[in-house]
Amino acid sequence: MAERMLQFVRLEQQTPDKRDAAERRTDFDEIYARFAPEQAAAQASRCSQCGVPFCQVHCPLNNNIPDWLKLTAEGRLEEAYEVSAATNTFPEICGRVCPQDRLCEGNCVIEKGFDSVTIGAVEKYVTDTAWEKGWVKPPRPKQELPYSVGIIGAGPAGLAAAERLRLRGWQVTVYDRYDRVGGLMIYGIPNFKLEKEVVLRRQAQYEAGGIKFVLNCQIGKDVTLAQLREKHDAVLVATGVYKARAIQAPGIGLPGVMPALEYLTASNRVGLGDSVPEFESGALNASGKRVVVIGGGDTAMDCVRTAIRQGATSVTCLYRRDKANMPGSMREVKNAEEEGVRFEWLAAPEAFTGTDKVEGVRAIRMHLGLPDATGRQQVEPIAGSEFTEPADIAILALGFDPEDLPAMFEEPALTVTRWGTLKVDHRSMMTALPGVFAAGDIVRGASLVVWGIRDGRDAADQIEQYVLAQKSLATAAE
Ligand code: FAD
Ligand code: SF4
Ligand code: SF4
């Protein structure tokens, strides 16, 4: 091993080529190229094969990173793919969208003094290669089992559970109110971070493996939860969080003030070739407009970068704290800056101006005060510092809360936390309703794709244990 690995002292960190900002502003294609084979092997060889790999500890899936890096460095890509796919349902997606700077790479020990191993880019390279070579197979089980699960939500959590149970022979049906599979991976995350073909090819594999999708089907409206419980041995709720957090401010109802997801979904649909009347009418299209986005998270970064690509004349991001305190990934902020987004740090909206439609966002400058009990610095307005940012479109990217699931499902027995997320037993992942489990954002609150995958995989194991125990109890009672 030794001569192949530990190359960080000799080889510098190299990230995959990033397209020039001037070019990428004009299209929705992904911005990073893929490693060339020799580049991937060289970058993987920088790993020092730590005895206690902190990268693995800080990966929500506890991916066996040192092993697949070593296999990649040795050119044994099929094995690298198998090791990587053993713990991750969508390695090629995590390689693209995980905030690696806060997870695996941010905890790579060679970062101290040297730049970290480019774990995410190697993970993406290995699995994209696996797709090209035909190593990624539909989840066809060795034998069919008479157990059935109904999964509500075809996002990463629902799909991860679906694949795991199907591989073990279960009869799996996934219900989704959307017309496509993928949840926020298809209609939330923009194409320039995750090309939609990457998600759609997974859907095709799952269908080929025998997973049934019932799309355009909203549970609670088209079918009740009670009907699903009748039909399946267990049900998994993986519905995500979609209620946009609002602010109270004069002018909030003016045309042109819109929630982030409405704007991003329209853009993603257009990219997928759908006809979107609100885009065609201009209501959800930033072309030729001055755009102000309010918020400092990854959703805000996706909005500003989408507006740039749609041809906005100016794009400004208002955030009430400073750059160092932004909740989003620094990599995304840097990409946005390169693409021409202007940031107004320490500025909070007070009102939306205009009569028939929004014409500006009146904001006030803030300063950072003392930390509160959580250690986060408080922000306070600076009297007399108001200013107005002209806007034809104002996008609110302030976060998401869960919808009222007990009401939506007409199941008052389904208990929720004070944040509205579903309450589950944290070991069994079961809700207050026997046989109904929950996973992903609907349990955690707005989170990450990689956590959705982790929860979905864990929920599949819990569902299996529960149903097998129920069946053996029933057999014993006969
Ligand atoms: P979702 O992906 O939300 O999927 C839930 C599914 O349930 C949806 O398809 C929905 O249609 C369906 N559903 C809901 N209610 C019903 C019902 N009643 N009946 C039938 N179907 C229903 N994470 C990252 O890791 N990296 C990123 O770069 C990133 N960028 C993001 C950008 C945006 C704009 C947003 C909004 C989120 C982003 N995230 C990112 C977060 C990530 O997408 C989510 O954490 C993840 O998708 C949650 O997975 P999930 O399976 O729990 O829910
Ligand atoms: Fe890093 Fe995400 Fe891959 Fe884990 S899944 S190794 S956190 S990129
Ligand atoms: Fe390799 Fe870095 Fe992980 Fe150590 S922490 S095993 S050097 S990737």
Side-chain angles (χ1 to χ4, degrees):
M1 177 267 277
E3 70 278 14
R4 250 190 234 283
M5 304 305 287
L6 289 156
Q7 298 296 331
F8 65 94
V9 278
R10 195 176 61 80
L11 278 176
E12 281 192 2
Q13 184 198 58
Q14 239 187 27
T15 50
D17 289 343
K18 188 158 76 166
R19 291 196 295 133
D20 185 62
E23 179 196 312
R24 60 185 207 247
R25 280 168 60 102
T26 62
D27 64 44
F28 280 83
D29 297 344
E30 282 183 10
I31 71 166
Y32 295 101
R34 202 206 299 175
F35 274 145
E38 56 286 357
Q39 225 184 351
Q43 288 299 305
S45 77
R46 295 180 68 245
C47 168
S48 64
Q49 300 284 284
C50 304
V52 181
F54 283 105
C55 55
Q56 179 169 6
V57 173
H58 289 271
C59 164
L61 292 161
N62 302 129
N63 279 344
N64 199 341
I65 300 164
D67 278 13
W68 49 254
L69 286 174
K70 180 166 178 286
L71 290 164
T72 306
E74 292 169 354
R76 295 158 64 185
L77 285 186
E78 190 165 2
E79 291 161 84
Y81 163 68
E82 275 160 19
V83 174
S84 146
T87 51
N88 192 350
T89 315
F90 306 121
E92 76 284 26
I93 295 179
C94 291
R96 286 169 163 87
V97 303
C98 270
Q100 287 101 9
D101 47 352
R102 285 192 270 137
L103 300 172
C104 53
E105 293 179 18
N107 290 283
C108 170
V109 290
I110 64 163
E111 200 179 15
K112 319 291 165 232
F114 295 91
D115 290 322
S116 66
V117 177
T118 50
I119 300 167
V122 174
E123 190 177 24
K124 168 177 176 260
Y125 166 80
V126 168
T127 315
D128 281 349
T129 306
W131 275 97
E132 273 171 25
K133 303 268 184 198
W135 302 332
V136 184
K137 298 277 190 272
R140 290 203 182 94
K142 291 200 175 70
Q143 58 163 343
E144 294 290 345
L145 296 175
Y147 313 133
S148 136
V149 63
I151 297 175
I152 314 172
L159 291 179
E163 189 197 74
R164 201 158 169 85
L165 287 169
R166 182 64 197 137
L167 274 168
R168 294 175 187 172
W170 280 56
Q171 309 310 309
V172 179
T173 310
V174 183
Y175 302 84
D176 203 293
R177 62 184 172 191
Y178 282 154
D179 54 349
R180 289 187 179 91
V181 163
L184 288 172
M185 299 191 295
I186 197 95
Y187 288 135
I189 303 177
N191 216 59
F192 50 82
K193 275 164 56 181
L194 173 62
E195 283 176 3
K196 298 306 157 209
E197 182 46 37
V198 175
V199 182
L200 296 174
R201 66 187 178 187
R202 284 277 175 191
Q203 174 176 355
Q205 287 270 29
Y206 290 162
E207 283 166 342
I211 295 174
K212 293 193 185 68
F213 289 103
V214 181
L215 301 178
N216 297 305
C217 175
Q218 178 161 340
I219 306 306
K221 185 166 147 260
D222 304 311
V223 180
T224 65
L225 180 61
Q227 284 170 318
L228 287 196
R229 293 179 76 198
E230 277 285 302
K231 192 166 173 196
H232 301 288
D233 294 315
V235 171
L236 175 66
V237 182
T239 47
V241 290
Y242 283 85
K243 197 168 78 187
R245 254 178 227 154
I247 40 167
Q248 300 297 326
I252 189 87
L254 282 169
V257 181
M258 62 192 71
L261 203 53
E262 203 174 307
Y263 172 70
L264 291 173
T265 303
S267 173
N268 276 317
R269 280 194 177 282
V270 170
L272 283 156
D274 294 353
S275 142
V276 181
E278 300 83 358
F279 182 85
E280 281 143 27
S281 71
L284 294 178
N285 183 354
S287 172
K289 296 189 177 141
R290 296 164 302 175
V291 177
V292 174
V293 176
I294 297 158
D298 286 337
T299 301
M301 292 312 103
D302 290 345
C303 291
V304 289
R305 298 178 65 203
T306 297
I308 290 275
R309 284 161 174 77
Q310 288 179 346
T313 49
S314 68
V315 181
T316 308
C317 179
L318 287 189
Y319 180 53
R320 65 197 190 115
R321 293 172 190 273
D322 62 359
K323 188 172 177 178
N325 282 289
M326 278 187 97
S329 156
M330 274 305 133
R331 182 182 64 184
E332 299 307 307
V333 177
K334 185 163 178 276
N335 286 335
E337 284 178 327
E338 286 168 5
E339 288 163 13
V341 174
R342 192 167 67 84
F343 284 86
E344 282 284 0
W345 313 110
L346 292 161
E350 284 197 324
F352 298 88
T353 60
T355 41
D356 303 331
K357 60 176 204 47
V358 70
E359 285 168 16
V361 180
R362 202 177 69 232
I364 185 160
R365 304 229 174 256
M366 312 293 280
H367 74 83
L368 287 170
L370 293 171
D372 64 10
T374 66
R376 201 155 187 224
Q377 277 180 289
Q378 292 295 290
V379 279
E380 282 150 23
I382 302 173
S385 66
E386 292 85 355
F387 66 101
T388 298
E389 191 65 40
D392 305 304
I393 283 185
I395 302 173
L396 306 175
L398 301 162
F400 301 95
D401 288 317
E403 287 149 300
D404 183 348
L405 276 205
M408 186 199 267
F409 289 161
E410 292 178 26
E411 286 285 2
L414 209 53
T415 48
V416 294
T417 65
R418 65 192 165 102
W419 299 278
T421 48
L422 275 186
K423 216 180 228 174
V424 292
D425 174 302
H426 279 283
R427 251 198 347 210
S428 70
M429 301 180 79
M430 194 152 80
T431 66
L433 296 175
V436 177
F437 296 76
D441 280 7
I442 192 58
V443 177
R444 285 181 185 274
S447 178
L448 293 172
V449 168
V450 65
W451 280 114
I453 298 171
R454 170 67 197 252
D455 290 351
R457 293 171 70 94
D458 287 351
D461 294 346
Q462 295 302 325
I463 288 169
E464 184 176 50
Q465 266 186 35
Y466 170 83
V467 171
L468 294 186
Q470 293 297 109
K471 299 268 179 200
S472 67
L473 279 178
T475 315
E478 276 167 11

